[in-house]
Amino acid sequence: MHLAHRPLVITALSSAVLCAALAGCAPRPAERGASDAPGATASCAPGELATQVPGKLTVGTDKPAYAPWFADDEPSNGKGFESAVAYAVAKELGYDRDAVVWQHTPFNSAFAPGAKKFDFAVNQVSISEERKKAVAFSSGYYDVRQAVVALKSSKAAKAKSVADLKDVKLGAQVGTTSLDFITDLVEPKEKPAVYQRNDFAKSALKTGQVDAIVVDLPTAFYITGAEVPEAEVVGQFAASPGEPEQFGLVLDRESALTPCVSGAVDALRKDGTLAGLEKEWLSDAVDAPVLK
C-alpha cells in the first residue's frame, strides 16, 4: 500500500514516529515482483524462483521444432538435444517434468526487445553482444559451427574455400548468425535469399532457387541425412577468433532468474550432463571439411 497521499498529523506524532511515517512515503520493496527490479537478486532455491507462473517453469521455443534439437515437432517429449537440455536445466532448478510448460515463441521474437512471457527460451539462439542489448543470456550450453549445404549437382558443392562461395546464390533464415556469416564473411556478389523459416530455405534448395544454404552444423547433417538426401554438407566455417559461437538460453533482459539459469547450465556442463546429451542427440553431426 502506498502512503504518499495519506495526510500526516504531525502534532500527534513523536519525532521517531514521524520518521517512520515519512519513510512510508516511498514504494515498499514488497510491492514489486522479484523480476520487476533491474538487477534484483533472485533466490535460486527450489520452489522459490520468481517464475511467470508460480510453481511452473515456462519455456519458449519455435514451431516447427526442428530435429535434431527436438523430435517429432513436440518439445514436451524430452527428445532431441534442446528439449533434453531444457528438462535438465528445469531439474537442476528444482522443477520436475510436469512443472515445465512449453510456449510457442517465434525465433525472432525470442530475442526481440520487450517483455517476455517465458522464463527462458531455447531455440538455437547464438549469444551476441548485439542481442544482449535486448535480452539476457544464460551461459552457453552448446558450442556451434556454421556449415554450407548444397545439392550434390550444384556448383556450390565443389567449393573448397570461402572465396569459392562468392559466385553462388546463398540463402539462410532471417535473423540468424547463419545469415551473418553469408553477409559478413562470404560477402557474395549476389544478394543472399532470406527466409522466414528454415523449412522455406530447404524448399528453395530443393527446387534450385538457391545454390546452397547456411545452417548450423548439426542441422546441416540432419538435412542431408533425413530431409534432402540429394544434398551434402559442403563444409563448415572456421571458428571465429576468440570466444566460440555458443547457443544460450534467452531470458528477459531484466530477469532475476538469469544467474539461477546460468548456474544450472554451468553445473550441467561441469558434471558432464551436457556432453552426454550432445553425444546422445548430436552424435551424427560429425566433422566436415573447414572452408578456409
Side-chain angles (χ1 to χ4, degrees):
M1 179 177 178
H2 292 278
L3 305 180
H5 302 296
R6 179 178 294 178
L8 298 177
V9 185
I10 297 176
T11 56
L13 297 173
S14 68
S15 59
V17 175
L18 178 58
C19 265
L22 291 175
C25 296
R28 296 177 181 176
E31 293 175 347
R32 304 183 67 172
S35 61
D36 292 338
T41 301
S43 168
C44 298
E48 294 184 14
L49 274 66
T51 54
Q52 294 280 337
V53 178
K56 301 288 185 180
L57 190 68
T58 304
V59 182
T61 198
D62 205 351
K63 188 173 181 61
Y66 300 109
W69 312 105
F70 300 91
D72 305 320
D73 191 21
E74 184 48 74
S76 64
N77 62 19
K79 299 177 181 180
F81 180 70
E82 289 193 326
S83 178
V85 166
Y87 281 114
V89 170
K91 183 178 180 181
E92 194 71 24
L93 293 173
Y95 293 86
D96 61 27
R97 189 164 177 146
D98 292 341
V100 177
V101 178
W102 289 88
Q103 180 187 80
H104 173 215
T105 305
F107 177 79
N108 286 334
S109 298
F111 52 87
K116 307 303 177 188
K117 295 182 180 180
F118 51 73
D119 293 310
F120 67 76
V122 55
N123 194 27
Q124 307 111 67
V125 180
S126 295
I127 301 169
S128 73
E129 292 305 313
E130 183 64 28
R131 289 172 178 171
K132 284 182 180 179
K133 296 176 182 177
V135 294
F137 284 96
S138 71
S139 302
Y141 61 86
Y142 179 68
D143 294 358
V144 65
R145 299 281 282 271
Q146 297 297 318
V148 178
V149 175
L151 294 181
K152 297 172 184 176
S153 58
S154 167
K155 60 181 180 179
K158 300 177 182 178
K160 303 295 183 186
S161 67
V162 173
D164 292 338
L165 297 170
K166 291 185 179 294
D167 293 319
V168 303
K169 179 70 173 179
L170 298 169
Q173 182 177 342
V174 66
T176 60
T177 51
S178 302
L179 183 59
D180 292 339
F181 267 76
I182 295 175
T183 56
D184 299 339
L185 180 64
V186 179
E187 298 180 321
K189 294 178 181 178
E190 188 174 355
K191 186 177 180 180
V194 181
Y195 302 97
Q196 198 64 33
R197 299 207 313 255
N198 262 339
D199 273 350
F200 301 151
K202 287 181 284 188
S203 295
L205 179 68
K206 283 195 254 186
T207 57
Q209 296 175 50
V210 291
D211 297 311
I213 60 174
V214 177
V215 293
D216 59 77
L217 190 58
T219 297
F221 277 102
Y222 183 79
I223 289 173
T224 57
E227 298 181 311
V228 191
E230 60 271 31
E232 65 182 8
V233 179
V234 177
Q236 61 180 310
F237 294 108
S240 302
E243 293 295 321
E245 180 183 354
Q246 292 185 314
F247 290 158
L249 303 176
V250 184
L251 299 95
D252 187 280
R253 191 168 185 270
E254 307 296 340
S255 176
L257 299 184
T258 302
C260 303
V261 176
S262 281
V265 172
D266 291 341
L268 295 172
R269 184 178 292 280
K270 185 176 182 180
D271 69 13
T273 298
L274 290 181
L277 293 177
E278 186 175 331
K279 183 177 181 180
E280 179 179 0
W281 296 107
L282 304 179
S283 59
D284 290 338
V286 297
D287 287 336
V290 175
L291 300 167
K292 301 293 186 179

